[in-house]
Each structure stands twice: as C-alpha cells, then as structure tokens.
Amino acid sequence: MSNPVIEVNQLNKQYINTKALQEVTFSIDRGEVVGLLGANGAGKSTLLQILAGLIRPTSGQVKLLGKDVQKETLEVKKQIGLLFGSETGLYHRLTAYENIAYFAEFYNIPKSVYEQRIKEWADALELTPHLHKQAGELSKGNHQKVTILRSLIHDPEIIMLDEPTTGLDIAASLSFQELLKEVKTRGKTIIFSTHILEEVDNLCSQVIILRKGKVHYHGDLSELYRKEKTNNLTSIMRNVIGGE
Amino acid sequence: MKGIWLILKKELIEQFRDRKTLFTALFLPVLLWAGMAFLTDNFVSQEDEVKIPVTSNWTDAQRNQFTQLTGLKTYVPKDPAHEVKTGEADLYLDMDPKTNKVMLFISDKGVSPSFITQIENYVLKVNQSNLPPNVAKNTLHLEVKETAGEENMMVKIFTGYLMLSIIIGMTPVISGAGIAIDAIAGEKERGTIRSLLSLPLTPSKIWCGKWIAVAFYSLISFAITLGGYYAIQPYLENPTLNLDWFLALPISYQVGIVFLLLVYIATISAILLFLSTFAKSFKEAQGYLWPVNLLPMIVSFYLAFGSSEDSLSTPYFFVPFANIQAVLFEGAGKTLTLSHLLYAILSSILFIAIVIYISSSVFKKPNRMLSN
C-alpha cells in the first residue's frame, strides 16, 4: 500500500530568465532512499530548497507528511533534516559540539538525549576527538561530519541532503553511508542529490533524474537498469547529461 | 521566546569570542572618547592661557597686581571691545581711575563663569589687602556689562551638551555596526543563513534575536564608554562631561531620558541590522553603514550651531536620531518639556516597530537571503 511522505504536484519554479523546474510531479513513500540525479543546473538544489520550505515555488504544491509546505512551513521544518554540502553552514567561533547542540535545542530535544546522540554518532564518524574544537579549526572533512550530525540530531522523519559527501575522504564517506543505512533501517525517508553514482548504487532504492528542470525518470533503480538495458549508472547518466 | 533566546545566546557567545568584535564594540569607543577627552583638555587648557585684554586706563602696576592675584596675564590692545567682537577674547577689563571702578565687559555670546569668579576674587583680594599704593585710599568696585561678542566655537564644541550628545549619538553606532554586519550579512557570506532559515522558527524571531544581541552589545559598549569617560574627568584639568543639568532635572524627566536612551540604542541597533539584512554581502553592508555613522554627529552639530533658540520646534522630537539629541539639547538648556520627552520616546518605539516589520519582510525573501 502506498504511503507517501513526500508529494510533489505540478511544481514550477521560474527565476528571472530561467525555468528552474517545470511541471515536476512525484511522490516518495516512507522509508525510501531516493537519489536525486542530474547535471549542474538541472534543478536539484532548487527542488530540495522548495521541499524544505526555504524558497517558494512559482506554482504547484508540495506536501510533506501530509502537510502543505507553504502553509505549514514551521511544522514541516520540524520533521526535516537538511544538509547542503556546498556550504557547511557552521558557526566558526562555536565548537563542533556547540554547533550541533545549538540546532538540537531549537527542536526541544532534552539535553541528555542529544548528548547521547552526539556521542554515538561522533564515535561512528570518528569525530569525537574534535568535538570541542572551534569549527574554524576543523578540517573540511570534519566540518562536513559536524554538519551531517547537526542535520540528523533531531531524528527527523525526512532527511534531505544536497551533495552530502562533498569534502569527505573515502573513510568518512563510507562511514557516512553506513550511518545513512542505519538511519534507513529506522524507517526514515531520505532524498539526496549527488554526483557520486556509487553512493546511489549502494544506498538508493529509487532515483529521480532531473533534466533541464523536468523529471526525466522517477522510479526504482532496478527498473531503470532494466529499462536502459544496463547496470551501469554512469553510462545512463552520461546519456542523460549528453542529451542536455 | 525560547527561539529568540537561543538566537540571542548564540550571537552573544560568538561575538564575545571574536577579538575583532571585542575591539570595535568595546575597546575602540573607550579609546576614541578617552583620546578625545585628553585632546579636549589640552585645548581647553590652552584657552586658560589666553591673555585678558585691558584698556589703557590700567597702569602697569595694576596689571602686574592683577596677574599676581589671579594668575591671568593681560595685554593692552588698541580696541579691547573689538577683541571680544571678533571672538579673540570672551571679555575685557576697563578701569575708571577717578572712581576706582573696575568695569568687566563680557561677551553677549557667553563667557566661562570661572573668568568672572577670578575677577570677582581679584576685586575682593585687593579690597581686603587695602595695600596697593595706587588704590589704597579707595575701594575697588566691580561693574559687569555685556558687549557684543563672537561665540568661541571650539570651546562650545567640546564642552557641556555637545560632547555628551556626540558620545550618546555615536557610540551605539560605532559599537553596533560590526556586530550587525556580522549577524546577517556575515551569515549570508559564510553560507550559514541557509541552515538558520531551515530551523522551525519564524524569520521575525530570528531577526529579533539578532536585534537584541546587537542592542545588548551596543548598550554594554555605551555603558563602558560613558563610564570610562566619566571616570577620567577628575584627571582632566578641565572636565568636559557636564551632567549637572541632568541631575537637576525632576526624577520623572531623568527616568524618561534614561528610557529614551535605551530606546535610542534599540533604534540604532534596528537600523543597523535592517541595513545588514538588506545587504547581500559584508562589503555591501559596510557601504550602507558608513553614512549612518555620520548621522548622529551631523545632528549634534546642527543643533549646537544651527539653532539660535533654546527650545526646539516639535518636529525635531519625532525624527529618529534627532529626537534624543533634541531632548539633550533642551535638557541642557533647561527648556525640556514632558511632552517633548514623550514625543521622542513614543516616536522612537513606533519607528522600531516599523523597522522590525520591514526587516522581517526582507528576511522572509529567499532571493535576498539565499542569493549567495
């Protein structure tokens, strides 16, 4: 039985001279891990920002957990974990721990709970020795780990990640993938954009491929492979991007 | 309220850890005004050394005696009245040798009371000693008259109302600017604004948390600056911070002026943060803010030198920036009315409400907040 937690209906976003999104429609069920793919400028970040209630669409409707993002923005934001890999968004004069705790407190999480989460996840991502350093002193990879923890600290129902492994080394990237798998087992819905197709292969059950602001493909990854008669996602994406 | 408190707490911690902020918000104003105080003191001290013009009716013996008893030197210009008229001196002395009447002509644009006191003391000492050979048989009489004079602009600039008004006007702007820029334009530039806007918090609450933080730092900076300036007064030869007029006011006026001061700091903080909200980058915000730095000084100087009346017309009390200066001006001139004070307070509160509303509206616009 279908149990959509993300419902996007005829979504359009027009910037001054650009149609960033055109008639985008899809739905994502609870517990799915969806890879958002497309060339630079295809509309991935715009779509994630609209889903998160950061920017308004020109037309169309987005519902998360049955709530209209435009009308019940604050309620929806409580259920979202958001990460933009291109900008770590950390406060450099706060420690890594303070950055995470700062965000946790907005979601009314008891201190004992978020302290326990920080401890567990920092251990998993090998961040513990750096927790009490100011963010400005951290390496780019550790920056990204802190941002990941911060976006997950309130145990959101829906996790939106925009190129989350940007800046991570291989070990940290693999740790992050393990973390996402663990989050997935708890029934969370994850949608993330990436250029690293291996991550999609490892994590995703579904993909959305955007091309020039339109949904080129949305469905199971296995169905995509069957349809394209290849298990090589790189080859599929090369064809899509090459067609732009 | 919790959301506003969390934003405020973060801003305070973050700014407190920033050496640049601490310098510009807390130490720079103190250094600036302390330096200004000592410069002023030097200037006013030099004024003390100015010689007193006397008419040729004064004999050399009388001039020497005057210098011995007062410490003030004299000179005999061709036309002493002209010295006062052109602002070279604030007063001159004449002497009627027949009646032993000392005539003190003071500028109608004002003169330091200490000069008059010194001359009164001189007359008193001469009369008490009764010894000087040329006046021994008669007692000196002092007659004070007013004569056309020119205002000593520089003395007025650095003493009394004006110095206080400049400190009050400029300190919140100087100290709040860096923090305000960092609080929003800085967040845009560093890319932290997107994370902040993803929080389940209304833009108005985020903005208000930041506004209170800017106002708090400005208030602390102002308190340190004014306290520091007040504390160094005993070490100056000529104190330039005159709060006597304030202490002489009824308590209701004093409370009103202190409240207006808090509202003024809140107003300045709101304006600075509004400009920071409007700017897309740190540099753009700096460009917007530098003219704001000049506004309080322009208003202070305009009121001090542009107004020929002791009391001001009502519109002054409705204009942000100008209203607190107008209240200080009338307060120092002992013409302040309760209605003017209330107009200033209420208009400032209304102005803050408007700025918060507009700023929150701008803060909601993603194309302005997320465009970097």
Side-chain angles (χ1 to χ4, degrees):
Chain A
M1 186 180 152
S2 173
N3 182 18
V5 290
I6 301 176
E7 298 166 83
V8 178
N9 193 18
Q10 292 186 308
L11 195 67
N12 289 284
K13 179 64 184 177
Q14 170 92 42
Y15 290 117
I16 295 169
N17 295 317
T18 318
K19 285 182 178 176
L21 295 173
Q22 296 178 64
E23 298 296 317
V24 171
T25 301
F26 62 86
S27 66
I28 298 172
D29 287 347
R30 185 180 299 276
E32 296 283 358
V33 178
V34 181
L36 189 58
L37 303 176
N40 286 335
K44 303 188 296 294
S45 294
T46 301
L47 177 59
L48 286 177
Q49 289 187 85
I50 291 174
L51 293 183
L54 288 178
I55 59 176
R56 286 182 168 273
T58 308
S59 64
Q61 190 184 44
V62 178
K63 280 188 176 179
L64 266 62
L65 299 162
K67 290 171 181 160
D68 191 318
V69 172
Q70 299 308 313
K71 291 175 183 165
E72 298 174 85
T73 310
L74 294 186
E75 282 305 306
V76 168
K77 281 180 176 177
K78 286 178 186 170
Q79 304 297 333
I80 298 173
L82 192 62
L83 184 154
F84 286 90
S86 56
E87 49 188 47
T88 56
L90 294 183
Y91 295 105
H92 284 199
R93 293 189 287 273
L94 300 185
T95 65
Y97 175 87
E98 286 169 336
N99 266 287
I100 303 165
Y102 174 56
F103 273 62
E105 287 182 11
F106 282 101
Y107 297 95
N108 293 317
I109 305 168
K111 192 176 179 186
S112 58
V113 174
Y114 73 68
E115 277 183 339
Q116 184 62 27
R117 283 180 191 162
I118 292 172
K119 187 177 182 305
E120 283 174 12
W121 293 344
D123 280 344
L125 288 172
E126 298 175 345
L127 189 63
T128 307
H130 309 290
L131 272 180
H132 295 288
K133 287 180 184 170
Q134 287 196 2
E137 298 169 9
L138 298 175
S139 66
K140 194 177 175 186
N142 285 331
H143 252 261
Q144 192 68 349
K145 290 176 187 175
V146 176
T147 317
I148 291 164
L149 289 197
R150 195 181 63 180
S151 63
L152 299 177
I153 193 66
H154 55 296
D155 197 22
E157 283 299 314
I158 301 168
I159 298 160
M160 299 178 190
L161 311 166
D162 190 8
E163 299 178 20
T165 50
T166 302
L168 292 187
D169 58 25
I170 293 169
S173 182
L174 291 174
S175 300
F176 171 68
Q177 288 182 37
E178 290 305 312
L179 186 70
L180 279 194
K181 282 177 185 170
E182 194 275 324
V183 170
K184 183 188 172 186
T185 61
R186 287 189 278 139
K188 308 295 179 185
T189 308
I190 302 167
I191 177 166
F192 75 101
S193 74
T194 183
H195 290 296
I196 303 168
L197 301 178
E198 207 175 14
E199 286 177 357
V200 179
D201 264 332
N202 287 341
L203 294 168
C204 297
S205 48
Q206 289 189 4
V207 287
I208 296 172
I209 300 175
L210 288 178
R211 187 179 165 196
K212 294 181 179 176
K214 293 179 179 172
V215 176
H216 179 75
Y217 176 82
H218 173 220
D220 288 347
L221 194 55
S222 54
E223 176 65 21
L224 179 67
Y225 289 151
R226 196 188 59 75
K227 188 179 164 189
E228 297 292 331
K229 296 174 184 165
T230 173
N231 280 358
N232 189 336
L233 191 56
T234 307
S235 166
I236 296 169
M237 288 310 296
R238 192 178 292 129
N239 288 339
V240 173
I241 294 167
E244 289 201 355
Chain B
M1 285 304 288
K2 189 189 174 190
I4 293 177
W5 163 243
L6 288 173
I7 296 281
L8 169 64
K9 188 172 81 170
K10 191 278 292 179
E11 289 294 331
L12 296 181
I13 292 171
E14 217 190 1
Q15 298 298 347
F16 190 72
R17 288 178 185 170
D18 183 17
R19 286 180 196 163
K20 194 175 72 181
T21 300
L22 287 182
F23 179 76
T24 55
L26 302 179
F27 298 119
L28 183 65
V30 174
L31 292 175
L32 177 71
W33 298 117
M36 190 74 90
F38 284 108
L39 275 175
T40 307
D41 194 43
N42 187 39
F43 170 76
V44 176
S45 298
Q46 285 172 0
E47 287 293 308
D48 283 349
E49 292 169 13
V50 171
K51 294 175 180 176
I52 303 276
V54 296
T55 61
S56 55
N57 289 333
W58 282 65
T59 65
D60 287 346
Q62 284 172 320
R63 289 176 55 200
N64 289 337
Q65 181 193 53
F66 181 82
T67 302
Q68 279 174 9
L69 293 176
T70 63
L72 297 169
K73 291 179 179 173
T74 59
Y75 68 105
V76 186
K78 277 185 183 175
D79 181 2
H82 184 73
E83 300 289 293
V84 178
K85 196 174 181 180
T86 57
E88 290 295 312
D90 292 334
L91 53 85
Y92 75 93
L93 290 167
D94 195 5
M95 172 78 79
D96 185 343
K98 292 178 184 171
T99 60
N100 272 347
K101 189 185 284 180
V102 177
M103 284 165 287
L104 168 61
F105 290 87
I106 61 172
S107 166
D108 61 358
K109 296 295 187 296
V111 62
S112 169
S114 66
F115 278 126
I116 299 172
T117 306
Q118 278 177 293
I119 292 162
E120 285 172 343
N121 285 340
Y122 156 73
V123 173
L124 199 64
K125 283 176 186 173
V126 169
N127 289 340
Q128 283 174 345
S129 66
N130 203 28
L131 286 175
N134 53 341
V135 292
K137 293 173 186 173
N138 297 295
T139 306
L140 280 182
H141 300 286
L142 179 65
E143 187 176 318
V144 182
K145 293 180 177 177
E146 210 172 70
T147 186
E150 186 65 34
E151 211 164 22
N152 190 327
M153 303 289 274
M154 293 305 286
V155 171
K156 190 172 180 183
I157 286 173
F158 291 111
T159 57
Y161 145 77
L162 192 58
M163 198 65 193
L164 181 65
S165 76
I166 290 174
I167 291 175
I168 287 177
M170 291 195 68
T171 306
V173 183
I174 295 170
S175 57
I179 298 166
I181 292 174
D182 192 64
I184 296 185
E187 287 231 25
K188 289 182 199 175
E189 195 155 299
R190 289 189 298 272
T192 49
I193 197 80
R194 201 184 305 268
S195 311
L196 192 64
L197 292 173
S198 72
L199 289 167
L201 204 60
T202 61
S204 306
K205 284 185 178 173
I206 296 173
W207 198 91
C208 283
K210 289 175 176 290
W211 167 55
I212 296 169
V214 176
F216 179 81
Y217 266 105
S218 296
L219 179 63
I220 296 291
S221 174
F222 172 75
I224 292 172
T225 302
L226 193 63
Y229 195 77
Y230 188 76
I232 62 171
Q233 295 300 305
Y235 303 100
L236 303 175
E237 281 186 43
N238 302 280
T240 48
L241 186 61
N242 178 12
L243 294 176
D244 292 346
W245 63 268
F246 176 76
L247 298 172
L249 288 170
I251 190 75
S252 57
Y253 282 64
Q254 290 181 5
V255 171
I257 289 175
V258 170
F259 185 71
L260 177 62
L261 181 61
L262 297 177
V263 174
Y264 172 72
I265 290 171
T267 307
I268 293 292
S269 304
I271 291 169
L272 295 175
L273 202 61
F274 166 72
L275 295 173
S276 179
T277 307
F278 201 74
K280 288 184 177 175
S281 67
F282 210 91
K283 203 170 180 178
E284 190 181 334
Q286 283 177 321
Y288 292 148
L289 288 182
W290 77 261
V292 180
N293 284 319
L294 297 176
L295 270 176
M297 190 175 269
I298 291 169
V299 174
S300 295
F301 275 69
Y302 174 76
L303 289 180
F305 303 115
S307 175
S308 55
E309 304 295 329
D310 286 339
S311 43
L312 301 167
S313 58
T314 303
Y316 280 106
F317 298 88
F318 288 104
V319 181
F321 281 101
N323 55 12
I324 190 165
Q325 307 289 3
V327 164
L328 294 173
F329 181 85
E330 282 199 348
K334 298 184 176 62
T335 58
L336 180 63
T337 61
L338 195 57
S339 59
H340 279 176
L341 184 55
L342 288 174
Y343 291 154
I345 292 170
L346 295 175
S347 61
S348 294
I349 290 172
L350 180 67
F351 184 75
I352 290 175
I354 293 169
V355 172
I356 290 176
Y357 177 77
I358 296 172
S359 300
S360 298
S361 303
V362 175
F363 207 76
K364 286 175 190 167
K365 293 188 185 304
N367 59 341
R368 192 150 280 283
M369 304 309 293
L370 302 175
S371 55
N372 279 331

